[in-house]
Amino acid sequence: MDILFYHPTFDNAAWIRGLEKQIPGARVRAWTRGDDRPADYALVWHPPVEMLQGRALKAVFALGAGVDSILSRLQAHPEMLAESIPLFRLEDTGMGEQMQEYAVSQVLHWFRRFDDYQAQKLEKRWQPLDDYTREAFTVGIMGAGVLGSQVAQSLLAWRFPVRVWSRSRKVWPGVDSFAGQAELGEFLSQTRVLINLLPNTPETAGIINRELLSQLQENAYLLNLARGVHVNEDDLIAALDDGQLKAAMLDVFSREPLPETSPLWQHPRVSITPHVAAVTRPQEAIRYIADTIGRLERGEAAGGRVDRRRGY
């Protein structure tokens, strides 16, 4: 079995050693330009068109939970990957746990009013504040995939009211479920903390705009953990300035790295992390890929296959 590997920033040698250890008999090589030798599988992140074009592969694995970069490239270059070749994403290789840590810590930060106490600290003001109640601190999650499910469960453990909105209705114990455009307004109207975990598709690009934000409860919070293109950044700043939103925590942006000229850097009620909410953990990802390849080789069903028409 021959496996091609390409990632512009990962340690190729470490990944190749790990893959060959987990998949006995596999020959793994880092792809370089001009390499047109046969391969059975390809593991990629932001792959050049010529890496995949014309190859008779059994499957391609995106080295992350998102596949929008590959799909957008396929739109421009449909010849890059035949429709018959399955495309897989990493469903959960430690990313779910990382998303839980990030989401729970931030929701608790707002719930305990640490943002307000930090503002008072800058004014050298000693003033206990009224507590928020869980009943009035409903968390709404946009996106009901693997990561959305795990974040919802972690917040339920802290006894927050949790609701979820997605393309199709989900049935999760203890979670109010809303589906489709017709139910979006109802979902937003009772949401105090909005967490975005939507996939990046043409339908979701720019979805978090002034109209959507205006439907949230007053003094709402936004936590964006999905993709920067989901948020209209100008509308976000306007919602913060007029008081519709109390604060925003952003891990992803429409341009990355975030330009120094972006007003988001200077806004007092915007917190920023550099796309680190959930990163690919090599050991867990390698085990996941090895298991999935084993299933494919045995002719068994495997999770994580991408529906190219839906975009996830």
Side-chain angles (χ1 to χ4, degrees), residues 45-191:
W45 189 250
H46 298 299
V49 172
E50 60 266 35
M51 176 188 176
L52 301 178
Q53 185 175 350
R55 289 190 181 276
L57 297 163
K58 295 181 181 180
V60 172
F61 289 82
L63 294 170
V67 292
D68 40 297
S69 67
I70 294 180
L71 294 180
S72 62
R73 193 156 296 183
L74 274 171
Q75 285 186 336
H77 302 278
E79 73 282 1
M80 183 174 80
L81 191 66
E83 187 71 31
S84 59
I85 298 175
L87 175 62
F88 289 85
R89 60 186 175 87
L90 304 185
E91 278 197 320
D92 183 15
T93 54
M95 294 183 186
E97 182 179 63
Q98 294 174 75
M99 284 294 189
Q100 287 177 322
E101 293 166 350
Y102 197 116
V104 169
S105 64
Q106 189 58 42
V107 171
L108 289 173
H109 180 87
W110 286 325
F111 179 66
R112 290 301 307 270
R113 306 195 65 171
F114 292 148
D115 55 333
D116 293 321
Y117 285 121
Q118 176 64 16
Q120 288 189 173
K121 180 254 186 185
L122 296 176
E123 298 175 358
K124 301 179 181 179
R125 182 156 57 99
W126 182 282
Q127 176 63 54
L129 300 171
D130 292 337
D131 291 341
Y132 289 145
T133 64
R134 281 176 168 77
E135 293 76 15
F137 217 75
T138 297
V139 180
I141 302 171
M142 298 179 73
V146 172
L147 298 179
S149 170
Q150 295 193 29
V151 168
Q153 292 304 312
S154 66
L155 289 164
L156 285 174
W158 286 91
R159 297 185 293 107
F160 287 106
V162 178
R163 51 181 41 202
V164 65
W165 179 83
S166 57
R167 178 174 179 169
S168 57
R169 195 176 311 283
K170 300 297 185 292
V171 181
W172 297 342
V175 177
D176 294 330
S177 180
F178 299 82
Q181 195 65 33
E183 297 182 7
L184 179 57
E186 184 182 359
F187 162 80
L188 295 168
S189 66
Q190 298 301 314
T191 293

Side-chain angles (χ1 to χ4, degrees), residues 5-306:
F5 183 89
Y6 178 84
H7 195 292
T9 61
F10 280 179
D11 181 346
N12 289 351
W15 275 78
I16 289 171
R17 287 194 302 270
L19 288 160
E20 289 181 338
K21 182 178 180 180
Q22 285 289 323
I23 310 174
R27 295 174 296 274
V28 187
R29 69 182 189 270
W31 180 83
T32 55
R33 294 193 183 278
D35 180 352
D36 58 0
R37 289 177 289 156
D40 299 291
Y41 296 94
L43 282 50
V44 302
W45 189 250
H46 298 299
V49 172
E50 60 266 35
M51 176 188 176
L52 301 178
Q53 185 175 350
R55 289 190 181 276
L57 297 163
K58 295 181 181 180
V60 172
F61 289 82
L63 294 170
V67 292
D68 40 297
S69 67
I70 294 180
L71 294 180
S72 62
R73 193 156 296 183
L74 274 171
Q75 285 186 336
H77 302 278
E79 73 282 1
M80 183 174 80
L81 191 66
E83 187 71 31
S84 59
I85 298 175
L87 175 62
F88 289 85
R89 60 186 175 87
L90 304 185
E91 278 197 320
D92 183 15
T93 54
M95 294 183 186
E97 182 179 63
Q98 294 174 75
M99 284 294 189
Q100 287 177 322
E101 293 166 350
Y102 197 116
V104 169
S105 64
Q106 189 58 42
V107 171
L108 289 173
H109 180 87
W110 286 325
F111 179 66
R112 290 301 307 270
R113 306 195 65 171
F114 292 148
D115 55 333
D116 293 321
Y117 285 121
Q118 176 64 16
Q120 288 189 173
K121 180 254 186 185
L122 296 176
E123 298 175 358
K124 301 179 181 179
R125 182 156 57 99
W126 182 282
Q127 176 63 54
L129 300 171
D130 292 337
D131 291 341
Y132 289 145
T133 64
R134 281 176 168 77
E135 293 76 15
F137 217 75
T138 297
V139 180
I141 302 171
M142 298 179 73
V146 172
L147 298 179
S149 170
Q150 295 193 29
V151 168
Q153 292 304 312
S154 66
L155 289 164
L156 285 174
W158 286 91
R159 297 185 293 107
F160 287 106
V162 178
R163 51 181 41 202
V164 65
W165 179 83
S166 57
R167 178 174 179 169
S168 57
R169 195 176 311 283
K170 300 297 185 292
V171 181
W172 297 342
V175 177
D176 294 330
S177 180
F178 299 82
Q181 195 65 33
E183 297 182 7
L184 179 57
E186 184 182 359
F187 162 80
L188 295 168
S189 66
Q190 298 301 314
T191 293
R192 181 70 182 277
V193 179
L194 182 64
I195 300 178
N196 178 38
L197 283 167
L198 287 169
N200 181 14
T201 69
E203 292 75 24
T204 62
I207 190 171
I208 301 177
N209 52 29
R210 190 65 182 271
E211 180 183 358
L212 182 144
L213 295 172
S214 69
Q215 297 177 70
L216 293 168
Q217 291 186 333
E218 289 188 10
N219 288 315
Y221 300 90
L222 172 66
L223 175 55
N224 188 18
L225 300 175
R227 288 290 184 267
V229 296
H230 289 135
V231 177
N232 182 311
E233 293 175 359
D234 290 339
D235 286 359
L236 169 61
I237 291 172
L240 288 163
D241 288 344
D242 68 15
Q244 176 62 45
L245 276 186
K246 186 173 181 183
M249 181 77 190
L250 308 175
D251 183 60
V252 288
F253 304 88
S254 56
R255 289 181 59 194
E256 295 182 1
L258 184 65
E260 293 182 5
T261 55
S262 171
L264 292 171
W265 287 113
Q266 303 299 326
H267 202 287
R269 287 184 284 124
V270 173
S271 298
I272 289 171
T273 52
H275 204 149
V276 295
V279 299
T280 301
R281 291 175 171 169
Q283 291 185 346
E284 295 178 34
I286 287 169
R287 285 195 295 268
Y288 179 90
I289 292 167
D291 178 72
T292 304
I293 288 178
R295 291 176 182 274
L296 296 175
E297 288 291 302
R298 295 189 297 270
E300 299 173 0
R305 182 165 179 172
V306 174

